[in-house]
Amino acid sequence: MTVSIRSVLHNTQFKRADPVVEVEGKDLDTPVRWVFTNEREDVSSFLSGGEMLIIEGNALLAADWHGTLGQYVASLAQAGVAALVVELVEGVVRMPDELVSAARLHGLTLIGLKSRVPFVDICQSVNTAIVHEQMHLQLEVDTMSTSLREGLSRTGNIEAVAETIASLFGESVAIFDGDGLLAARAGRAFDAGNESSAVIALESRSRPVGALEITQRTMTSDATMRRAIATIVSPVAALYIDGGARMGMMHHLSMGPADGVHVNTFEAQEAHAMLEALGFAGSCIYMPFAFRFRSVVEGINHVSTMVERFEELSGCAVSCMLEGDLMVGWCSTTDSSDGAAAFGRHCMDALAVLEDDGIYVVHGRVALDTVTLVDGFAVLRDIANHEPAYGRVVSTMSALVDRFVASSDMDKAMRMLVVQTIGFEVAASPLLLDTLCACFDNLDSKTGACEQLGIRRQTLYNRLDKVTQMVGVDYNDKPNWVMLLFAAKLTKSWQEQHGE
C-alpha cells in the first residue's frame, strides 16, 4: 500500500499542524512520492510528479514573484504535484480566493495548515513512512516474483498460466491475445461493472503479446507490482499467444513517425511494404483509431460487435491489436467509389456504438495513403494515453488546438497542425490554401468567400470538393471543417512570415 494524500493527513506530525483540506483535487487517494518545501515561484521546473509541496502562506505574497497565483497553480498541476500545502499561521491566515479557484480549475488538492509545526519535522516523518512503505512493497514484490516464477515454470499451456496466476493471488484472471481474443480464463466470473480490476500489457521482443486482466478483490496492485507481473508473465505467455511478424508490423506502423510528426521517405517506403505484406492494396483508404478500456473483459465484446457490423459493408475491414488496456488499429475499405468523406461517416457510425460503454475512443481523420495513415498515429497515441474519458468518442482534430498551444517548439507545432489537418499537398497549393483562408475570413460564408476571391459559387464548391477528396473532410462536418479552416489560415500566415 502506497502513502497517499489521505494517509499523510493522518500522519502524527502532520496532524499536529491542524490540516484542513480546502480543495479536494482529483482524489485524496493519490499517491505521494515525496514531501518537501520550496517557495520558489518556478519550483515546478524541478519537479517530476507525485510530490507534496509545503510552503508558508507569506510566500504567496513574495515581491519577486512575476506571475499570478493562477499561473503558479497551473504550473504545479502540469508538473503532476500531488498536493499543495500552505501554512496559514502568520500574515496570510486564510487561503487566497484566487488560489482556491485555480486549484479547483486544475484539480489540484489544496491543504491549509492552521498551526505551526516545523516543516522539517513534517517532511522527515512523512518521508520516513514513504521509504518504509517502499521497502515493504519491494519485499512483497520480491516474494511474489519468486512464487510466480516458480509456478509458471511448471505450466505447459496458456490455460495453466491463467490458473497459476489466479491461484497465487486468489483473484479472477483473463488473458487476451494480441487480436483481442480471449485466450484463457481462471477463477470465478468477473463482475466488471461492480468490481475493480487491473489490466496489464504483455509484450515480448518489443511487440505486443496481449493483455492480462486480474481482479482487485483482495489486493491492490500498484505500478511496481504490475510491472513485475508483466516482466515475469510476458515471456511465458508469448510461448502460446505470440502474434508473430504480423503483430510486429502492425505495432511498427501504429507507432507513427520517428519524429512524432511526419514520416520521412524511408519510413514511408517501409510502411508501404508492411501494409502490402499485411494484405492491404494500394487502393485502400483508412481511418486510424485507438480504444482505451476500463476493463477489457467488459469492453471487448462491444468492440467485436462494432467490427462485425462495420465489416458487413462492402470492401470494409478492421485491423487492430491489443496492448494491455489500449487497442490500436484502423478501419479500411477497398471500395472508395463513394469518396473519402462518405467512408469517414461510415467509420463514425460504427464507432458511435461504443459511446455508452467503458471505452475511450480516439480516431484520426481519413487517410488516403500510407503516409497519412502513419502520420495519423503520432497524435492518436498521444491523446489516447492521456487521462481517458470513458464513454466518449474524440477526434484527433478536436484535440489539436490543445496540443498546438502546449508545444514549446512552434516549428514542430506548425508541422503537426498541417500534417493532421490540411496535409502538405493542400498547403503547397496556393489556389486551395487561399480558398480555405477566404472561407475562414468570411466565417465560412460561401457568398463572402466568392466575393473575396472574385469567383463564381460553383467554382468555389469545385475547389472545396477537391479539398474534401484530398483530406477526407467536407464542409458539412462543421467541427472538423472549422479546424481545417483555422489550420489553413495559420499555414498561410506561417508561409508569408517564413517564406516556406
Side-chain angles (χ1 to χ4, degrees):
M1 179 179 176
T2 58
V3 173
S4 65
I5 298 172
R6 193 183 306 278
S7 55
V8 171
L9 289 169
H10 291 91
N11 175 274
T12 303
Q13 290 293 338
F14 202 80
K15 285 173 66 176
R16 287 179 53 217
D18 296 326
V20 176
V21 178
E22 303 267 359
V23 176
E24 189 177 321
K26 294 179 179 177
D27 192 348
L28 289 183
D29 292 319
T30 298
V32 176
R33 189 178 61 83
W34 203 247
V35 180
F36 75 110
T37 178
N38 187 312
E39 296 179 344
R40 289 179 54 147
E41 180 184 9
D42 62 348
V43 63
S44 62
S45 61
F46 308 111
L47 305 178
S48 56
E51 297 89 353
M52 176 178 278
L53 177 64
I54 306 179
I55 65 172
E56 185 182 357
N58 288 331
L60 301 173
L61 304 178
D64 57 345
W65 275 29
H66 302 290
T68 65
L69 293 182
Q71 292 169 333
Y72 176 63
V73 169
S75 70
L76 297 181
Q78 188 172 9
V81 168
L84 173 63
V85 181
V86 183
E87 183 187 71
L88 305 173
V89 176
E90 183 179 336
V92 177
V93 295
R94 61 180 295 273
M95 206 70 79
D97 293 339
E98 184 181 358
L99 197 70
V100 173
S101 298
R104 287 174 179 156
L105 176 65
H106 295 284
L108 178 67
T109 295
L110 187 61
I111 301 171
L113 303 181
K114 300 298 185 179
S115 299
R116 174 158 289 165
V117 173
F119 290 171
V120 65
D121 291 348
I122 294 176
C123 292
Q124 181 179 11
S125 179
V126 178
N127 289 336
T128 298
I130 291 172
V131 172
H132 284 172
E133 195 58 47
Q134 289 172 342
M135 293 174 64
H136 178 68
L137 177 61
Q138 189 59 53
L139 181 61
E140 283 187 342
V141 170
D142 291 343
T143 303
M144 178 278 298
S145 298
T146 300
S147 300
L148 186 56
R149 282 194 175 94
E150 182 181 345
L152 293 179
S153 68
R154 297 190 294 269
T155 59
N157 52 53
I158 194 64
E159 289 80 9
V161 172
E163 289 285 356
T164 298
I165 299 170
S167 176
L168 175 63
F169 291 100
E171 300 283 356
S172 299
V173 170
I175 299 177
F176 298 85
D177 65 17
D179 291 310
L181 300 175
L182 181 65
R185 201 167 189 163
R188 74 173 194 253
F190 279 74
D191 186 5
N194 298 306
E195 63 184 7
S196 63
S197 61
V199 181
I200 299 170
L202 304 177
E203 63 177 24
S204 177
R205 290 172 289 186
S206 300
R207 67 180 180 224
V209 170
L212 164 69
E213 184 164 356
I214 182 169
T215 56
Q216 306 283 275
R217 299 185 189 112
T218 61
M219 69 164 199
T220 301
S221 56
D222 67 355
T224 302
M225 182 74 80
R226 292 194 294 271
R227 282 194 298 269
I229 294 173
T231 300
I232 298 167
V233 176
S234 288
V236 181
L239 295 174
Y240 313 111
I241 58 172
D242 190 346
R246 179 178 64 85
M247 203 58 64
M249 287 189 288
M250 288 189 61
H251 182 63
H252 185 85
L253 287 165
S254 72
M255 289 305 294
D259 70 354
V261 179
H262 186 49
V263 296
N264 57 37
T265 302
F266 173 76
E267 288 175 324
Q269 293 172 344
E270 183 182 48
H272 185 73
M274 287 184 180
L275 278 173
E276 287 193 327
L278 289 169
F280 293 91
S283 60
C284 280
I285 58 177
Y286 314 88
M287 176 180 280
F289 62 74
F291 306 149
R292 282 281 300 279
F293 295 97
R294 180 186 286 114
S295 164
V296 180
V297 170
E298 179 185 19
I300 200 67
N301 288 335
H302 299 297
V303 173
S304 297
T305 301
M306 182 276 293
V307 171
E308 290 173 3
R309 291 181 181 177
F310 182 76
E311 291 188 337
E312 290 175 356
L313 300 171
S314 174
C316 290
V318 175
S319 299
C320 53
M321 61 182 175
L322 185 64
E323 309 171 9
D325 69 341
L326 181 69
M327 176 171 273
V328 184
W330 57 81
C331 299
S332 65
T333 184
T334 55
D335 182 5
S336 57
S337 57
D338 290 338
F343 171 69
R345 288 192 291 272
H346 290 322
C347 293
M348 290 305 303
D349 289 342
L351 295 176
V353 174
L354 305 176
E355 269 189 310
D356 295 329
D357 302 314
I359 305 172
Y360 177 40
V361 179
V362 182
H363 68 87
R365 66 179 176 85
V366 174
L368 305 181
D369 51 42
T370 303
V371 170
T372 311
L373 172 64
V374 179
D375 283 349
F377 281 113
V379 174
L380 194 76
R381 281 185 176 270
D382 182 67
I383 296 171
N385 286 326
H386 276 72
E387 189 72 23
Y390 297 115
R392 287 190 59 200
V393 177
V394 176
S395 73
T396 53
M397 287 183 69
S398 68
L400 275 178
V401 171
D402 290 338
R403 279 178 52 87
F404 183 83
V405 172
S407 177
S408 58
D409 183 340
M410 186 53 66
D411 181 61
K412 183 176 181 179
M414 278 302 305
R415 291 178 63 237
M416 176 268 296
L417 191 72
V418 172
V419 165
Q420 299 296 333
T421 54
I422 59 177
F424 284 120
E425 193 174 357
V426 172
S429 169
L431 183 70
L432 296 180
L433 194 61
D434 286 344
T435 301
L436 293 176
C437 288
C439 290
F440 178 90
D441 293 340
N442 290 276
L443 300 178
D444 205 23
S445 164
K446 306 302 184 290
T447 300
C450 287
E451 292 177 355
Q452 180 174 324
L453 295 168
I455 59 176
R456 295 179 180 273
R457 197 175 185 86
Q458 188 56 50
T459 302
L460 175 69
Y461 279 111
N462 289 340
R463 294 182 186 178
L464 298 182
D465 286 340
K466 187 172 184 180
V467 170
T468 294
Q469 293 169 10
M470 294 166 70
V471 303
V473 177
D474 68 27
Y475 37 81
N476 295 312
D477 180 1
K478 292 303 180 184
N480 289 332
W481 187 253
V482 168
M483 190 66 218
L484 204 75
L485 299 183
F486 171 67
K489 189 68 174 179
L490 281 181
T491 302
K492 180 71 173 178
S493 175
W494 183 265
Q495 290 177 343
E496 291 174 347
Q497 293 182 41
H498 295 81
E500 297 180 4

